[in-house]
């Protein structure tokens, strides 16, 4: 007998394959009406039956059925115990970092997303929290940067835009021995290709604006945890800092997630074709794609992921060529962001990493000849044709 009466009992669908979990979410259909498309509960507040007697919802900043359906879906997909939906990926990053206190130290990937870099450079020091940026694809460098007061390591893997890969299991093993919390920004590969909590991480962070929602039409952010104590801190941050996800945006993200399997497979297939083509172009000096067998971190990649995703970066022969590509692309759009169905190209030096000081950017390789491509799900031949005419 199906439960047609409440929003709290949901089946964790542990024995389903991920493709089915993506389509059916947590509750899937609406338990009250049977609606196959989970409803958008577009309400700020909920009526009480009597004093102290609600139906489990009282105020949307604290709980909302559409948002809860998405949070539970994310917890199922990442194999965590609790998920938290926030208004953007940046809100999710801040939420994860909220476990830090004054005098703590946090280690972050050196070419982390520009916004996270900015938080670590400005917001955290204002709260007397020390930060170190470390190439986390080098485990010895990670070990060497651990201090007495290191409380967290914040990993982005693969990094954006240099596509460096950190060994989540190895870092987690070392961190666990020292009581360091491991947070992983899993935006680029999504739980479809990588599940950090199963590799030993404590917190997963997402910009849901990217592949999860997938259509470049809404902002969202997620945190997923497996430990109750950390979860309670995340819930308190979400509730009192107020960066909750709006019900409509939650619904759009739930809808996007249903097709994640098909989209990720197409993004990856296209990215491999485009990366391989770019690599053989005379004006392209280097292509950064984690699916290449000669990528320096390939062995780590295949140990912890089941696919390579749709992101790649490349360096051309001159600044003029880079600027010409941006100007001449036609089907590929020159825009920030990534992970949507449309192919987007960007110039990280100016668009995504302008907060990063020039000397740091140069040392990372984010120079005036460097471009990042989020390969969409159009026909790969058309993406290549567009790049061909832009590189002429
Ligand atoms: C890896 C990564 N993390 C976090 C963010 C921040 O997410 P949002 O733009 O949804 O706030 C981004 C945005 O580009 C990102 O690429």
């Amino acid at each position: 007998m199906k439960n047609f009466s409440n929003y709290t009992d949901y089946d964790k669908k542990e024995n389903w394959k991920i493709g089915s979990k993506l389509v059916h979410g947590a509750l899937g259909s609406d338990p009250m009406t049977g609606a196959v498309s989970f409803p958008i509960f577009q309400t700020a507040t909920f009526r009480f039956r009597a004093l102290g007697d609600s139906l489990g919802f009282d105020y949307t900043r604290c709980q909302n059925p559409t948002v809860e359906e998405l949070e539970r879906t994310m917890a199922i997909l990442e194999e965590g115990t609790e998920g938290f939906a926030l208004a953007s990926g940046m809100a999710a990053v801040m939420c994860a970092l909220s476990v830090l206190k004054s005098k703590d130290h946090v280690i972050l990937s050196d070419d982390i997303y520009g916004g996270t870099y900015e938080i670590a450079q400005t917001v955290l020091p204002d709260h007397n929290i020390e930060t170190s940026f470390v190439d986390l694809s080098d485990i010895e460098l990670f070990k060497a940067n651990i201090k007495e007061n290191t409380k967290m390591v914040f990993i982005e893997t693969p990094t954006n835009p240099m596509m460096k890969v950190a060994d989540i299991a190895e870092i987690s093993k070392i961190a666990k021995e020292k009581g360091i919390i491991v947070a992983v920004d899993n935006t680029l590969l999504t739980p479809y290709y990588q599940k950090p909590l199963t590799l030993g991480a404590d917190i997963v962070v997402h910009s849901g604006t990217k592949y999860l929602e997938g259509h470049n039409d809404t902002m969202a952010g997620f945190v997923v945890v497996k430990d109750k104590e950390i979860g309670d801190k995340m819930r308190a941050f979400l509730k009192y800092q107020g960066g909750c996800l709006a019900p409509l945006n939650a619904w759009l993200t739930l809808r996007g997630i249903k097709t994640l399997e098909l989209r990720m497979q197409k993004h990856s297939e296209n990215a491999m074709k485009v990366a391989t083509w770019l690599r053989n172009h005379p004006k392209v000096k280097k292509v950064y794609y984690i699916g290449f067998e000669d990528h320096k971190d390939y062995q780590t990649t295949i140990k912890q992921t089941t696919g390579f995703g749709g992101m790649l970066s490349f360096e051309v022969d001159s600044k003029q060529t880079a600027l010409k590509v941006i100007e001449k692309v036609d089907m590929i759009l020159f825009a920030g962001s990534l992970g949507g169905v449309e192919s987007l190209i960007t110039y990280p030096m100016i668009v995504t990493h302008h907060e990063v000081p020039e000397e740091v950017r140069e040392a990372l390789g984010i120079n005036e000849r460097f471009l990042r491509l989020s390969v969409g799900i159009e026909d790969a031949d058309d993406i290549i044709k567009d790049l061909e005419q832009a590189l002429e």
Side-chain angles (χ1 to χ4, degrees), residues 164-375:
K164 286 193 257 183
V165 177
D167 188 329
I168 301 171
E170 197 58 28
I171 291 178
S172 300
K173 201 167 87 197
I174 297 162
K176 201 133 290 166
E177 284 162 12
K178 300 190 180 282
I180 298 169
I181 294 169
V182 179
V184 178
D185 186 329
N186 200 27
T187 299
L188 264 58
L189 288 179
T190 81
Y192 185 67
Y193 282 143
Q194 174 170 276
K195 294 192 185 69
L197 298 180
T198 66
L199 299 166
D202 304 291
I203 303 177
V204 168
V205 173
H206 278 280
S207 167
T209 317
K210 315 298 189 217
Y211 290 103
L212 290 169
E213 200 283 330
H215 295 76
N216 285 320
D217 56 14
T218 193
M219 306 290 297
F222 300 101
V223 173
V224 184
V225 303
K226 53 187 185 191
D227 172 81
K228 174 149 179 12
E229 201 183 317
I230 298 176
D232 289 347
K233 285 193 181 139
M234 302 292 108
R235 182 63 69 197
F237 177 93
L238 173 51
K239 208 162 155 183
Y240 303 119
Q241 300 273 342
C244 60
L245 187 64
L248 174 62
N249 291 0
W251 184 83
L252 282 166
T253 311
L254 276 171
R255 190 171 64 168
I257 284 175
K258 285 179 191 284
T259 55
L260 187 71
E261 176 165 61
L262 295 174
R263 286 186 288 107
M264 289 311 283
Q265 288 176 355
K266 182 73 173 163
H267 282 296
S268 296
E269 187 190 308
N270 279 0
M272 182 59 97
K273 285 186 189 161
V274 173
T276 307
W277 179 84
L278 278 170
R279 190 177 231 200
N280 294 313
H281 194 284
K283 287 191 184 163
V284 176
K285 295 295 150 205
K286 185 157 184 176
V287 180
Y288 299 83
Y289 184 55
I290 63 163
F292 284 155
E293 285 182 22
D294 57 1
H295 183 288
K296 73 175 184 63
D297 302 323
Y298 186 72
Q299 290 311 318
T300 311
T301 299
I302 54 172
K303 202 172 79 170
Q304 67 190 16
T305 79
T306 51
F308 308 122
M311 293 303 300
L312 63 90
S313 300
F314 59 106
E315 191 179 320
V316 291
D317 58 357
S318 68
K319 179 181 180 182
Q320 286 80 346
T321 304
L323 296 180
K324 215 172 75 181
V325 169
I326 285 171
E327 198 193 303
K328 287 186 69 186
V329 281
D330 179 23
M331 185 183 79
I332 301 169
L333 309 174
F334 171 33
S337 204
L338 58 97
V341 289
E342 297 89 0
S343 291
L344 303 182
I345 196 160
T346 196
Y347 194 47
M349 187 178 113
I350 305 285
V351 181
T352 53
H353 283 64
H354 59 273
E355 299 99 336
V356 180
E358 194 183 337
E359 64 282 5
V360 179
R361 245 183 7 233
E362 283 289 331
L364 290 171
I366 306 171
N367 56 39
E368 58 190 19
R369 301 176 299 283
F370 189 81
L371 294 160
R372 185 190 78 187
L373 182 63
S374 170
V375 181

